[in-house]
Amino acid sequence: MSDQTPYARFPGQVIAAPPCRMLNANMYGFFIKGNIVNIQQYIDETLNVVPLGKDRFQALMSYCMLTFTDIENIKPVTEPYASQGWFQETDIIIWIPVARMQGLKIKKIYWYPAFICVNNIYALVNGREIWGFNKYLCDYQMPSIGADPDLFSMTVDAFTHFSPDTKMAPVELFRVEKVAAGEEKSLADLSELLKEGFDLMRAEVDCFKLDLEDLAKLVADFFHPQVDQLLLKQFPDGEGQNAVYQKLVHSPSVVQKLHDIKLYGHAFEFTLNQVDMFPLQEMFGIQVGTQSSVLNFNVLFDFNQQAAFELTSED
């Protein structure tokens, strides 16, 4: 970061230092239909509030990628944090692919983890404080490695309906259920995933400034050689009105090893519930109710989460 003021570490504080290495990240992915107008508005209200010269960020398609990822073993790689221990983490993320536009030209494509829920406080605190991940705590259900991918769900503590008398309580925000069995095809590499999967996406995906070749590269780049993540890192002042820090940062997730890749022929249904505190219909245009997901997959891999670096107009 550009601020050279040393970070004051409280004794016993849980803030570690990147990078972190992640082993056996078991990721299930589903593409969910949203609305490109809502998605662009979300980008404008977050990423595009930070001046970056004349560059702006643009939505690329009306679909969001929903992932459930159980990471078996995480630990920092630098001392003294590497010797303090390791932990398990589950991330449930809604990803938006975005383009950094220079005029009418795509300068670079990023994956924007726009909405994230995790299962432990250590992951939440470090993710928000160091990287700027928009994380919230949750409970969840998902299959373990090699199990039947039959049910995925996420529950959050939230105000289901805003009113003066509403008490915060656990509520299921969404779920994904397998409704019909199909083939599970193990693939040798990501090129096979693209070959098998994009015929499904061709008729479904409503793209903006993105042809099939660009879309193939976008998904391939998600796993190799790294995931280029774009984040809005910010902290509010004491009145919660202004930002005392607000920057766009880039943090690559560098894939170390791909253990297994599967493309699912199963039919899955995604169900979204109305929760006023997390209005995904307003945020991303994902309709409340049930829809079929497309390009459903499972990838088991190891990766390293690198430090976050501020983006500038010169990058």
Side-chain angles (χ1 to χ4, degrees), residues 180-209:
E183 181 183 12
E184 291 189 7
K185 187 169 185 179
S186 293
L187 306 178
D189 54 40
L190 287 167
S191 64
E192 287 194 48
L193 174 62
L194 300 176
K195 179 181 177 182
E196 296 288 339
F198 279 105
D199 280 344
L200 297 175
M201 297 290 284
R202 188 190 302 270
E204 296 283 347
V205 174
D206 175 21
C207 295
F208 178 79
K209 295 184 179 299

Side-chain angles (χ1 to χ4, degrees), residues 5-111:
T5 302
Y7 183 75
R9 292 184 173 273
F10 295 97
Q13 193 179 49
V14 299
I15 300 297
C20 294
R21 68 105 178 95
M22 323 285 201
L23 301 181
N24 288 333
N26 186 32
M27 173 185 283
Y28 297 87
F30 312 90
F31 279 79
I32 308 299
K33 179 75 170 177
N35 185 291
I36 199 166
V37 174
N38 298 78
I39 293 170
Q40 184 60 51
Q41 181 176 337
Y42 187 88
I43 292 170
D44 290 340
E45 293 174 350
T46 55
L47 301 180
N48 282 332
V49 301
V50 180
L52 206 62
K54 295 183 178 179
D55 294 356
R56 290 183 62 80
F57 293 95
Q58 195 113 40
L60 288 173
M61 59 174 161
S62 60
Y63 273 68
C64 305
M65 184 171 72
L66 170 64
T67 59
F68 285 72
T69 307
D70 178 2
I71 307 172
E72 183 178 282
N73 187 304
I74 303 177
K75 66 186 302 184
V77 300
T78 57
E79 295 294 352
Y81 316 105
S83 297
Q84 292 176 350
W86 62 275
F87 62 99
Q88 181 275 342
E89 177 181 346
T90 297
D91 297 318
I92 301 170
I93 306 179
I94 294 176
W95 302 85
I96 298 173
V98 299
R100 180 174 176 176
M101 304 296 297
Q102 195 169 59
L104 298 177
K105 180 182 178 182
I106 295 178
K107 187 175 182 179
K108 186 174 178 60
I109 291 176
Y110 294 93
W111 283 95

Side-chain angles (χ1 to χ4, degrees), residues 124-171:
L124 185 147
V125 170
N126 279 274
R128 292 184 73 102
E129 296 287 317
I130 296 175
W131 285 274
F133 287 108
N134 181 26
K135 289 186 174 182
Y136 194 73
L137 282 176
C138 72
D139 290 320
Y140 68 96
Q141 182 173 343
M142 65 176 290
S144 57
I145 296 173
D148 182 20
D150 56 345
L151 177 63
F152 306 77
S153 68
M154 190 186 77
T155 299
V156 291
D157 287 342
F159 300 118
T160 304
H161 302 289
F162 288 152
S163 78
D165 299 322
T166 297
K167 180 181 178 180
M168 181 175 285
V171 59

Side-chain angles (χ1 to χ4, degrees), residues 235-244:
F235 299 102
D237 65 11
E239 295 182 339
Q241 299 297 321
N242 297 306
V244 295

